Amino acid sequence: MSNATLAVPAAGRAGRPRHARPIIAAVLVATFMAAMEVTVISTAMPVIVGKLGGFHLFSWVFGIYLLTQAVMTPLYGRIADSFGRKPIYLASTGLFLVGSLLCGCAHSMVALIIFRAIQGIGGGGLAPLGVTIIGDVCKPEDRPRVMGYLSAVWGIAAIAGPLLGAFFVHTLGWQFCFWVNLPVGLITMAMVWRYLRDGQQTRSRAPIDLVGCGLLVLGLGLMMGALVQFEALPSLTLILLLALAFVALAGFGWRERQVRHPLLPLHLMFRPLLMTANASSLLSGALLIGTTAFLPPLIQGVMGDNALDSGIVIGVLTVAWTITGMTIGRAVGRLSNRLLAVSGGIAMAAGMAALVPIADGGSLIWLTAIAIPIGAGMGLTSIVFTLAVQGGVPANERGRSIALFFFCRLMGQALGSAAFGGVLNAGLAATKGHDVMQELVNPALRAALSPGYLAAATLRLGHALHGVFVLAAIIGIGALIAACFTPKRSVQSP
């Protein structure tokens, strides 16, 4: 689930800096903070909607953070090469904290979305710059061990995030899902300020393609807007938005081929291994956001359970992901990559298919059981394709290939949140039920509803979520088909 490998560690210094340990500790803590930011609000979002309203904008809270984070991630590496790790890492963390503070102060869903964009712009630098700093301060022989710590941080954050979100909702308030970042972030900034010293070898002026970045944001933003609001937009407006999105993305692709230092290595997209891996990453990213963001409305809105129950279900999914990734990693190389990838695809597709009928009514125990194969399938395909990309490309292209792989996952999450949100909005608009979520997740309002109205309201929301999980099942089948094209063995490049 991590995008922590998005940057290639810089060449190590001759010796280990005197204060390497506190620097590494600060990076690990900051990475935990950024990794937890998506999952910590997943279980809190139904409650946030109950307070702020604007359920039709629900998916933008996830999508805008992921979009800005994904686009900024490759930019931060270039900026840090030009101006040094320390000032850019501090600026990234500071901007993330400003966004976190403002998110907790949001008084409407529109304001929350704007503040999440600020948070994502800052958060886009935490993981890749953290990896780069670790590469700077660690001896080569120490890097694998520290990167193992970093991977463990992502796993712990994925498990702890949903549970912490539920805890804050039931105790201090949903605002603390964002404000919890403030003391943690300030401590890490102080440690980096105190101990990290930039060396001159980290300063290389690399051109930054701001025009390409703008075209990418414009194209993806317009496409997400069209997907989220397709049921409310006039046909001509919808067509115009999609046309402008494709023109902007085509312009981005053309520009990437013209500039000397492109934002993304798109020329690598057309290699068979990378095409399969990136397609799987894109589809798996969409399925990840489809479960972590849209299961809580089912649990809390339709089934009438609370945020803690949502946290448990999402926690089971992430535990299954983490355990599978850790155990199967040892088998990769001894078993066929295609066999492992197809097995993961079958588990994901079967789990998503099992969610379709449960939207119309089911038990929390059964939903928790369904989360296990979904998480295991995601963990399996993630580790197989990550290792396949690492071992299947030449060493001088490995960093860019991995960056593209994880960028595709972030884009899958962003576009998936928009597509699922559009389906949800369309289902609710058909029954004029956009206000239903506020009534169902607020315990006081829900208790005041008449039995007949409550049954009708849960039926409307369940029907809309049914469409979401039908789309998820279709995407799951697509992920399975992509897995079938996996090479049986990766050619291990030096």
Side-chain angles (χ1 to χ4, degrees):
M1 297 172 71
S2 139
N3 62 347
T5 51
L6 276 171
V8 183
R13 293 183 172 91
R16 181 172 178 172
R18 178 183 176 187
H19 300 295
R21 287 186 177 180
I23 295 170
I24 293 170
V27 168
L28 293 178
V29 172
T31 302
F32 177 83
M33 177 179 66
M36 198 175 59
E37 192 50 41
V38 174
T39 56
V40 74
I41 71 162
S42 61
T43 52
M45 271 310 298
V47 175
I48 295 175
V49 168
K51 300 292 184 180
L52 302 182
F55 187 49
H56 61 291
L57 300 173
F58 172 85
S59 60
W60 274 109
V61 178
F62 295 93
I64 197 67
Y65 176 82
L66 292 163
L67 174 62
T68 52
Q69 183 188 42
V71 173
M72 289 302 300
T73 291
L75 282 180
Y76 272 113
R78 298 282 175 81
I79 299 171
D81 284 342
S82 297
F83 299 100
R85 320 287 193 229
K86 180 176 177 177
I88 303 306
Y89 190 77
L90 291 174
S92 171
T93 308
L95 193 56
F96 178 83
L97 295 183
V98 169
S100 299
L101 174 64
L102 293 174
C103 284
C105 299
H107 56 81
S108 69
M109 191 63 76
V110 173
L112 180 60
I113 291 168
I114 294 172
F115 299 149
R116 283 283 282 175
I118 296 172
Q119 196 183 32
I121 292 171
L126 295 182
L129 291 181
V131 173
T132 306
I133 290 171
I134 286 175
D136 288 341
V137 303
C138 286
K139 294 180 180 179
E141 60 268 24
D142 291 335
R143 289 176 191 161
R145 175 174 53 84
V146 177
M147 290 304 297
Y149 296 156
L150 198 64
S151 298
V153 163
W154 280 92
I156 295 170
I159 297 167
L163 299 176
L164 275 178
F167 170 78
F168 288 134
V169 163
H170 286 292
T171 54
L172 301 175
W174 64 266
Q175 294 89 344
F176 283 85
C177 292
F178 303 103
W179 289 345
V180 68
N181 296 326
L182 300 180
V184 177
L186 290 174
I187 291 171
T188 60
M189 288 181 71
M191 293 173 68
V192 170
W193 174 268
R194 172 67 178 82
Y195 295 113
L196 182 61
R197 297 289 182 268
D198 270 335
Q200 289 302 315
Q201 65 270 32
T202 66
R203 306 294 181 92
S204 60
R205 297 287 175 177
I208 300 169
D209 184 17
L210 295 178
V211 174
C213 179
L215 289 171
L216 181 61
V217 171
L218 179 64
L220 292 172
L222 289 173
M223 184 174 293
M224 288 175 64
L227 290 172
V228 172
Q229 301 296 334
F230 76 88
E231 95 292 345
L233 294 174
S235 298
L236 184 59
T237 304
L238 182 63
I239 292 172
L240 180 61
L241 282 177
L242 290 174
L244 290 174
F246 281 115
V247 168
L249 292 175
F252 170 72
W254 176 83
R255 182 170 178 81
E256 290 295 277
R257 291 180 175 273
Q258 305 303 312
V259 297
R260 183 177 179 182
H261 299 280
L263 186 67
L264 292 171
L266 296 183
H267 67 282
L268 298 175
M269 287 285 291
F270 302 102
R271 298 185 181 181
L273 170 63
L274 297 182
M275 188 179 296
T276 301
N278 291 332
S280 175
S281 187
L282 186 79
L283 296 171
S284 296
L287 293 177
L288 176 61
I289 201 68
T291 50
T292 56
F294 291 89
L295 280 179
L298 170 68
I299 295 168
Q300 295 168 241
V302 177
M303 301 171 68
D305 294 303
N306 57 37
L308 180 58
D309 295 315
S310 296
I312 291 172
V313 173
I314 303 300
V316 167
L317 187 151
T318 53
V319 168
W321 176 309
T322 304
I323 292 176
T324 302
M326 292 172 62
T327 54
I328 294 298
R330 301 174 182 177
V332 175
R334 297 197 301 269
L335 300 176
S336 164
N337 281 343
R338 184 180 299 170
L339 174 63
L340 293 173
V342 169
S343 298
I346 291 173
M348 282 194 297
M352 293 298 172
L355 287 178
V356 174
I358 206 171
D360 297 323
S363 69
L364 191 65
I365 294 176
W366 177 233
L367 185 59
T368 305
I370 293 173
I372 295 174
I374 294 175
M378 289 179 178
L380 185 53
T381 55
S382 175
I383 191 69
V384 167
F385 282 114
T386 299
L387 294 176
V389 172
Q390 286 179 336
V393 298
N396 63 337
E397 294 181 342
R398 190 168 296 147
R400 290 177 294 168
S401 299
I402 293 172
L404 189 61
F405 175 72
F406 283 101
F407 179 85
C408 287
R409 177 175 295 168
L410 286 170
M411 283 299 94
Q413 289 180 271
L415 294 174
S417 69
F420 290 128
V423 171
L424 182 65
N425 287 341
L428 290 173
T431 57
K432 298 182 174 57
H434 270 143
D435 61 340
V436 71
M437 193 65 183
Q438 255 184 309
E439 299 173 323
L440 292 178
V441 300
N442 188 310
L445 293 178
R446 188 180 181 108
L449 299 177
S450 66
Y453 182 86
L454 177 61
T458 54
L459 182 64
R460 289 202 302 270
L461 181 57
H463 175 76
L465 289 169
H466 179 88
V468 169
F469 296 131
V470 167
L471 177 58
I474 294 171
I475 295 175
I477 295 172
L480 174 58
I481 293 173
C484 293
F485 290 91
T486 308
K488 291 183 177 180
R489 299 280 178 186
S490 293
V491 178
Q492 297 297 314
S493 299

